[in-house]
Amino acid sequence: MNTAVDLAGLRLRNPVMPASGCFGFGREYAEFYPLSCLGAVVTKAITGSGRRGNPTPRVTETDGGMLNSIGLANPGVDAVLCDELPWLRQQGVPIIANAAGSTVDEYCEVVDKLSRSGLVDAVELNVSCPNVETGGLSFGVDPDILCQLVTAVRPLCTVPLIVKLSPNTTDITAAAGAAAAAGADALSLINTLVGMAIDVKTRRPILARGVGGYSGPGIKPVALRMVYQTVKSVNIPVIGMGGIRTGIDAIEFIMAGAAAVSVGTANFTQPDACVVIVREIEEFMRQEGIGCLEEIRGCAL
Amino acid sequence: MRATLTLQVIRHQCIADGIYELTLDGRGLIDSVDPGQFLHILVGSGDVHVLRRPISIAEFDRGILRIVFRVVGAGTRWLSKQYEGALLDVLGPQGRGFPLPSSVSRGLIVGGGIGVPPLLELAKRLAHRGVELDVILGFPAKAHAFYSDEFASFGTVHMVTEDGSLGTQGIVTDVVRNLHAEHSLSWSHFFACGPHGMLAGLQTYFRDQDIDGYLSLEERMGCGLGACQGCVCETKGLLNRRVCTDGPVFNWREVVL
């Protein structure tokens, strides 16, 4: 039995990776299991300068999941290259660096520095963060603007370029098509759905910013549908994510055509969620007599 | 490698209105706890409640832990129904607790509401070293008050309630001012945990004084491990610090409340 996958030229030992923002730069989870058990590590979003992010509360549980409005808090690309990635590089796992910005220039700076560093195996372009005023989502929902951004960063990116798409749009396949046409090597989806929760005692939104990104098991049907639609509409690989917490959830995404999967919120529930999911995928393959994931990839299309 | 732990509830007690104490058996699993550390506790199987709940450790004695929490929502309501024999999936002890500086000559401990529990282990450790302690515990009303007897073994306890139903009427900073200004007490260190407004009030009160102090902060948490950046507090530095792992205890001059 072989769980390895090929993702836009990256060879992953299995299809499971943490979702950006749910895993920091890996240090905290490396205390629970060797990161080399993962297919890849996807870093927290990295911007040009350090950012504090939004005021707190910026996380809260809600039915079927949670809301976050972290707001791209990170120490900035130079600090990440100096303090985080050299350590992560030694963990024996491919690194996918998530890059974000407020302007095209900032995206270009971050992608260029990451790409030149030789410390990352791929870049994931974050054009779908719902928690910042400028950048993030504003680049992800308009296919023309997305196309301009991907076109600008593409020549700077010497490693595979993955574009992470937002579900907060009428037709995700339009954004997918634009990213692919502009030269993306792969897509990842979905980012969080914009949502909110209100504290009826204080009569105010629970999150300080009012709204945030909804993630967790509740979004899985939406995510699965969007992966299914996107796989049918583009010819580049898709990393599927949204509410995955078991190996069977991951198998559903693979059957919908995902090349690999990301696990987000489940890492907060159980710190070893990713490795449990890898084990459950293997168990399913054994039970069903599946030799490699290519046998079932996209079988539900 | 670290792992989550399974701890058995060996005692369940409602100690005040909406406040519960669970005693957990951590023998053979947890060797030591710093005062102010917390457990990050899974609610049910995690299928419905995806986020763990950070609950402070009130006391640790040879592997036996007491945790105290207030029922505020569905997660803590579930926790309040875990009786003797129930098994809890916990991460921890988590966080950086209160330091125990050797220079403490006389200490002031200030707790407000559900901020009181993590100060108990601290009071115990300081008292065992022979440090003289003044303890101020504030609650909304008598029905919500707890642990005054426990603290009485370790220092002089001053109770204060907002409605005056127990001890002095007012808020904890009123008592601090009274002891300090009118009774001429002074302290080398203060240690506090409680609502944001209470901590900010102490910061303001001690602003111009030569005193060391530590504040334990409460914040809504995600991973509880330091990865997600959910539970941060603003500091005088360029970036925020994480309540779950850089804290929950911070030097009082460092945090911006």
Side-chain angles (χ1 to χ4, degrees):
Chain A
M1 187 182 58
N2 181 6
T3 55
V5 297
D6 178 87
L7 179 78
L10 287 182
R11 186 78 179 157
L12 313 182
R13 63 177 64 81
N14 65 59
V16 179
M17 58 185 87
S20 177
C22 300
F23 210 72
F25 294 94
R27 287 183 196 272
E28 293 80 12
Y29 290 92
E31 294 180 14
F32 290 88
Y33 58 85
L35 299 185
S36 57
C37 295
L38 299 169
V41 166
V42 186
T43 72
K44 173 110 188 84
I46 304 163
T47 53
S49 316
R51 295 191 186 197
R52 285 183 185 270
N54 293 321
T56 61
R58 59 191 200 183
V59 288
T60 186
E61 189 177 277
T62 186
D63 291 346
M66 63 173 287
L67 294 161
N68 89 80
S69 68
I70 307 293
L72 303 181
N74 81 102
V77 64
D78 294 335
V80 169
L81 286 172
C82 178
D83 303 333
E84 303 292 348
L85 297 182
W87 174 85
L88 188 51
R89 198 70 186 147
Q90 291 166 11
Q91 306 308 307
V93 62
I95 300 171
I96 300 175
N98 185 285
S102 297
T103 61
V104 173
D105 285 347
E106 187 179 4
Y107 276 103
C108 286
E109 178 202 345
V110 176
V111 171
D112 188 39
K113 284 180 172 170
L114 290 170
S115 176
R116 281 172 193 271
S117 73
L119 294 171
V120 307
D121 298 286
V123 168
E124 180 179 67
L125 206 61
N126 183 348
V127 293
S128 43
C129 177
N131 294 323
V132 291
E133 293 297 335
T134 55
L137 197 51
S138 53
F139 284 98
V141 292
D142 182 330
D144 293 335
I145 295 173
L146 179 60
C147 181
Q148 287 167 25
L149 176 68
V150 176
T151 304
V153 300
R154 176 68 273 186
L156 303 169
C157 191
T158 55
V159 293
L161 179 65
I162 303 161
V163 176
K164 184 167 181 179
L165 300 177
S166 170
N168 302 300
T169 170
T170 317
D171 179 10
I172 197 165
T173 63
D185 297 304
L187 301 172
S188 53
L189 58 135
I190 58 175
N191 206 318
T192 53
L193 288 150
V194 181
M196 76 181 299
I198 291 173
D199 181 336
V200 296
K201 291 281 171 59
T202 63
R203 306 183 176 193
R204 300 291 308 154
I206 292 177
L207 296 176
R209 193 168 173 270
V211 303
Y214 177 41
S215 64
I219 73 167
K220 200 191 87 181
V222 178
L224 192 62
R225 183 266 296 179
M226 288 188 166
V227 166
Y228 177 85
Q229 283 181 321
T230 304
V231 167
K232 286 208 275 193
S233 76
V234 294
N235 290 317
I236 54 176
V238 169
I239 304 169
M241 75 195 79
I244 294 174
R245 63 187 164 132
T246 67
I248 300 303
D249 292 336
I251 294 287
E252 281 193 72
F253 278 82
I254 291 165
M255 289 182 171
V261 295
S262 282
V263 177
T265 304
N267 292 295
F268 302 164
T269 317
Q270 286 296 357
D272 63 352
C274 284
V275 286
V276 171
I277 288 168
V278 171
R279 207 179 305 140
E280 289 172 347
I281 291 172
E282 290 168 353
E283 205 175 293
F284 177 82
M285 290 173 71
R286 210 164 16 244
Q287 283 167 359
E288 299 281 317
I290 297 161
C292 73
L293 291 169
E294 283 313 311
E295 292 174 28
I296 55 167
R297 185 177 327 288
C299 64
L301 291 170
Chain B
M1 291 279 131
R2 288 186 64 187
T4 54
L5 306 174
T6 304
L7 302 187
Q8 188 172 44
V9 177
I10 53 178
R11 190 160 184 240
H12 171 287
Q13 243 191 322
C14 179
I15 57 172
D17 192 7
I19 310 281
Y20 291 82
E21 177 188 81
L22 298 181
T23 305
L24 308 177
D25 187 356
R27 285 176 296 182
L29 297 168
I30 298 177
D31 299 330
S32 67
V33 168
D34 295 331
Q37 286 191 303
F38 65 92
L39 295 179
H40 210 32
I41 305 180
L42 188 69
V43 178
S45 62
D47 290 349
V48 176
H49 298 285
V50 300
L51 296 183
R52 290 168 179 265
R53 300 298 192 271
I55 307 292
S56 54
I57 299 166
E59 204 225 359
F60 177 77
D61 184 18
R62 287 163 290 182
I64 306 293
L65 303 94
R66 285 195 282 161
I67 59 169
V68 176
F69 55 93
R70 182 164 51 115
V71 173
V72 289
T76 40
R77 194 171 310 119
W78 176 87
L79 197 56
S80 74
K81 292 180 178 153
Q82 301 309 299
Y83 300 98
E84 288 80 358
L87 298 175
L88 298 182
D89 175 328
V90 313
L91 260 176
Q94 293 295 106
R96 286 192 194 174
F98 288 100
L100 297 164
S102 53
S103 56
V104 187
S105 52
R106 187 182 180 115
L108 172 67
I109 288 182
V110 185
I114 201 60
V116 166
L119 298 165
L120 184 64
E121 179 69 19
L122 174 76
K124 184 177 91 180
R125 303 254 184 123
L126 289 171
H128 285 175
R129 283 189 182 185
V131 173
E132 201 170 341
L133 293 175
D134 294 294
V135 180
I136 303 171
L137 305 180
F139 297 96
K142 187 180 177 183
H144 301 101
F146 58 93
Y147 274 4
S148 62
D149 293 348
E150 304 250 4
F151 278 93
S153 319
F154 309 127
T156 309
V157 178
H158 305 267
M159 300 297 285
V160 49
T161 50
E162 284 169 33
D163 67 354
S165 52
L166 179 69
T168 314
Q169 184 186 359
I171 57 174
V172 296
T173 38
D174 299 335
V175 182
V176 174
R177 188 175 298 109
N178 182 265
L179 293 177
H180 184 234
E182 300 193 16
H183 294 83
S184 307
L185 289 183
S186 66
W187 306 279
S188 62
H189 293 74
F190 76 97
F191 306 86
C193 184
H196 193 269
M198 181 195 107
L199 300 180
L202 290 169
Q203 254 189 347
T204 306
Y205 185 80
F206 287 120
R207 193 172 42 207
D208 301 319
Q209 294 178 38
D210 179 24
I211 188 169
D212 288 328
Y214 297 93
L215 307 177
S216 180
L217 308 186
E218 185 182 40
E219 190 53 76
R220 284 177 185 264
M221 272 181 202
C223 69
L225 298 169
C228 78
Q229 299 282 336
C231 63
V232 296
C233 69
E234 196 179 331
T235 66
K236 289 172 183 161
L238 281 175
L239 291 169
N240 292 326
R241 303 196 71 198
R242 301 163 298 183
V243 172
C244 64
T245 43
D246 298 320
V249 175
F250 294 93
N251 187 296
W252 76 287
R253 292 187 193 275
E254 181 187 9
V255 291
V256 178
L257 294 172

